[in-house]
Amino acid sequence: MSAHLRVVRKPRSPDPPVDAQPTSSEVLRGLHARNPAAERRLLDAYAGLVERMLFRILGDIRTLEDLVQDVFARVFSRIDDVREPAALKPFITSVTVFVAREAIRKKRRHRWLAFFASDELPEIAASVDPEARQGVRAFYRALETLDPDERLAFTLRIVEGQELADVAAACSVSVATVKRRLQRAEVAFVERCKKDEVLASWLAEGDRWT
């Protein structure tokens, strides 16, 4: 990806209107031709989606820009694999999931597990209620204990609210595999919640995802 196409955006940007997303054959042809204007249209349309997914999966804002760059570098390098405009969004989603999985495994290799120091936790807006901030931090500590593949399925399904078929496509597995990963993730996540004072009280209130 060219230097002038670097993504510089605020994290967790809202998705663009559906009719603003570049799904025309003309744009896809431009991407295949490595046209900078077509690449910029793709960035403008999908950078917000990629940022939001990465943040919700990883809960870490510090490396967000680099990871978004990685996603689009991979998208542009493999854009010839996309033959139909309707396949653009699923393709970008699957690349985002792959990059997120790599980031999770890298963290584990560096032994960044479970309980982070306060300066290593996701940044949360100062305006958010202190109790909510505490809950978000506890939530991501719990996520850190999950198997990477199960964490991805859990986040895409529960946090992102994606349909099972979309989660399966993003993770390049069957719907049956996603269901099994979700079941294991839920069991592990609930057990982790029971051991955390903040999450245990939330769990007791019945705010479940079933």
Side-chain angles (χ1 to χ4, degrees):
M1 179 166 55
S2 304
H4 70 281
L5 288 178
R6 282 187 63 80
V7 182
V8 182
R9 299 164 60 98
K10 293 181 180 180
R12 292 168 287 173
S13 303
D15 286 348
V18 173
D19 58 4
Q21 295 183 353
T23 56
S24 71
S25 297
E26 180 182 356
V27 171
L28 187 56
R29 286 197 297 272
L31 292 170
H32 287 165
R34 304 304 190 266
N35 184 305
E39 292 180 349
R40 185 169 294 281
R41 285 192 64 187
L42 192 76
L43 286 170
D44 289 342
Y46 289 106
L49 170 68
V50 172
E51 288 173 343
R52 190 193 69 211
M53 286 184 61
L54 289 171
F55 181 81
R56 288 183 172 176
I57 293 171
L58 302 171
D60 190 343
I61 202 173
R62 295 161 305 163
T63 60
L64 191 59
E65 183 179 342
D66 288 341
L67 291 175
V68 172
Q69 297 296 329
D70 190 8
V71 168
F72 282 102
R74 295 176 190 232
V75 166
F76 291 136
S77 70
R78 294 178 49 204
I79 196 64
D80 290 340
D81 293 344
V82 182
R83 308 312 306 174
E84 299 294 334
L88 266 174
K89 184 175 180 180
F91 176 67
I92 292 170
T93 298
S94 66
V95 173
T96 303
V97 168
F98 182 84
V99 170
R101 182 188 291 115
E102 282 192 339
I104 292 170
R105 288 175 173 169
K106 183 178 179 181
K107 267 191 175 183
R108 291 205 165 198
R109 285 197 298 270
H110 286 82
R111 301 178 184 275
W112 293 350
L113 299 172
F115 294 98
F116 289 160
S118 59
D119 61 347
E120 293 176 318
L121 287 167
E123 291 186 22
I124 304 166
S127 60
V128 176
D129 179 82
E131 185 176 349
R133 291 202 302 272
Q134 188 179 18
V136 170
R137 292 172 184 270
F139 176 81
Y140 278 103
R141 283 199 300 267
L143 280 186
E144 284 292 330
T145 66
L146 300 182
D147 170 85
D149 288 333
E150 292 169 12
R151 173 177 173 175
L152 285 167
F154 185 85
T155 308
L156 292 174
R157 175 64 171 162
I158 305 305
V159 182
E160 278 287 294
Q162 293 189 11
E163 297 296 329
L164 286 172
D166 293 332
V167 176
C171 297
S172 301
V173 297
S174 67
V175 170
T177 297
V178 166
K179 288 181 178 179
R180 288 193 294 271
R181 289 179 179 178
L182 285 171
Q183 290 171 349
R184 292 194 296 267
E186 179 176 346
V187 171
F189 188 78
V190 169
E191 287 304 310
R192 181 63 183 82
C193 287
K194 292 177 180 178
K195 299 175 182 179
D196 185 284
E197 182 178 353
V198 175
L199 295 177
S201 61
W202 165 78
L203 195 65
E205 293 174 358
D207 293 332
R208 295 287 295 282
W209 45 84
T210 54

